[in-house]
Amino acid sequence: MSSSCSSPSSSFSFTSCLTIMLLLILYSTSAICADKPHRQLSVDYYAKSCPQLEQLIGSITSQQFKEEPISGPATIRLFFHDCFVEGCDASITIKSKQGSKMLAEKDAPDNKDLREEGFESVRKAKALVESKCPGVVSCADILAIEARDYVHLAGGPYYQVKKGRWDGRISMASRVASNIPQANFTVNQLLELFDSKGLTLEDLVVLSGAHTFGYAHCQSFESRLYDYRGSKQPDPLMDPRLLRALRMSCPHYGGNADIVAPFDVTTPFVFDHAYYGNLEAKLGLLASDQALALDPRTKPIVQAYAKDKAKFFQAFGVAMEKMGSIGVKRGRKHGEKRKDCSMHM
């Protein structure tokens, strides 16, 4: 276990925390919980206008997963960050205008660690889809489908993705911080964020399970190693073996800012339910993760998913559909369908 924590492979050493985003996304956004738009989404939305859509996107995700495995957690984190700020409208993919004082979401401090592989995966899929079905499919739907594909490619569940989202026109860095959870959030803080998005206590625990793969930078958990809650001591609830391994990778001072550690120290490259067993064994990486196994409201759910992978998989697909309906835009009055996901039409 120590080796998996202290010496991530070079291909992942520059990786961003996939899960932290998950959490991030789960717990953030402004009051964008629409109750009507998601009912207008449908699995067969593009059945006539672009019947080969899922196959086209699948050809990109499968290739990307082979060549750049980090594309999986990077894209899922991207989806969460998108949905929790302005809703699931691909506003996270818009680039800041050169010379403008108003930065786009992508350039917000809380998004600085988003991996480029996630953006690249969306760009490639969009280019292919546009070549076959020009002007038909939104970037927001492509991102939602890719997130599902990568979950499945990594060993997770395959679930149907409802489609029909339009791309949002608003992308402001200033709206990110208040909608993205921090790594040291308490369960109360997490629940407050989730509730603001129309998500429940169980949704919080289920979506946090996306931390079953992906990585986090040292700065996300460093306080647990050296100064937990201002105590000048490490978090007493962290397994001593994990603490030693993480301290080797993340020294208190002078460490490499690019070093990362896996959220799931047992099966870091696989989408499974090991995350929950790790929490029970005090092997959670983030304070916000470990808190889920301690709070009496969330602990029973953690225990249930630790025992039953099938139950977690089924719940995860349902929760992803629910999250994917946050703040959905429909029609030209509220959105657009960008040909280049990084630029407004």
Side-chain angles (χ1 to χ4, degrees), residues 79-300:
F79 183 50
F80 280 114
H81 276 241
D82 182 46
C83 290
F84 275 66
V85 183
E86 302 297 341
C88 307
D89 62 355
S91 54
I92 187 69
T93 64
I94 296 175
K95 291 182 179 179
S96 300
K97 292 183 179 179
Q98 192 170 7
S100 174
K101 293 183 179 180
M102 186 177 293
L103 298 177
E105 287 174 33
K106 182 179 180 181
D107 294 315
D110 287 288
N111 284 336
K112 61 180 172 53
D113 288 335
L114 291 177
R115 293 297 314 161
E116 187 58 37
E117 287 84 354
F119 294 99
E120 179 67 4
S121 186
V122 173
R123 186 195 67 76
K124 288 182 177 180
K126 178 62 172 176
L128 179 59
V129 170
E130 281 295 312
S131 72
K132 304 294 184 180
C133 311
V136 172
V137 183
S138 68
C139 300
D141 278 343
I142 288 176
L143 179 54
I145 295 169
E146 284 202 320
R148 185 277 315 279
D149 282 1
Y150 283 123
V151 165
H152 187 58
L153 286 165
Y158 182 92
Y159 53 90
Q160 295 290 345
V161 175
K162 291 185 178 180
K163 299 167 279 288
R165 303 166 187 81
W166 285 53
D167 300 325
R169 297 192 180 97
I170 298 173
S171 182
M172 299 171 60
S174 61
R175 298 188 180 183
V176 173
S178 61
N179 288 305
I180 296 294
Q182 302 302 312
N184 61 350
F185 264 18
T186 64
V187 172
N188 281 340
Q189 289 172 307
L190 293 176
L191 287 174
E192 184 177 355
L193 275 171
F194 267 77
D195 183 64
S196 73
K197 311 303 174 189
L199 299 173
T200 66
L201 174 99
E202 184 160 357
D203 293 328
L204 164 63
V205 181
V206 173
L207 291 172
S208 295
H211 285 188
T212 189
F213 73 160
Y215 297 78
H217 284 80
C218 293
Q219 64 183 19
S220 298
F221 53 85
E222 187 178 30
S223 64
R224 294 190 72 200
L225 310 182
Y226 303 101
D227 187 22
Y228 183 65
R229 306 288 187 200
S231 66
K232 305 298 182 183
Q233 298 294 324
D235 184 349
L237 296 176
M238 180 179 285
D239 182 283
R241 297 167 299 167
L242 179 60
L243 175 62
R244 288 194 296 271
L246 292 176
R247 279 184 160 183
M248 289 176 63
S249 297
C250 306
H252 199 6
Y253 302 105
N256 185 338
D258 292 332
I259 292 296
V260 296
F263 286 110
D264 176 352
V265 298
T266 54
T267 56
F269 309 112
V270 181
F271 195 102
D272 54 21
H273 68 319
Y275 164 81
Y276 298 104
N278 290 341
L279 296 186
E280 291 184 313
K282 300 181 179 180
L283 294 173
L285 184 64
L286 306 181
S288 55
D289 282 333
Q290 193 60 58
L292 298 177
L294 303 173
D295 191 286
R297 295 167 293 181
T298 52
K299 182 178 180 179

Side-chain angles (χ1 to χ4, degrees), residues 42-54 136-137 163:
S42 63
V43 172
D44 59 354
Y45 185 81
Y46 297 107
K48 293 182 179 179
S49 58
C50 192
Q52 69 273 49
L53 175 62
E54 302 233 2
V136 172
V137 183
K163 299 167 279 288

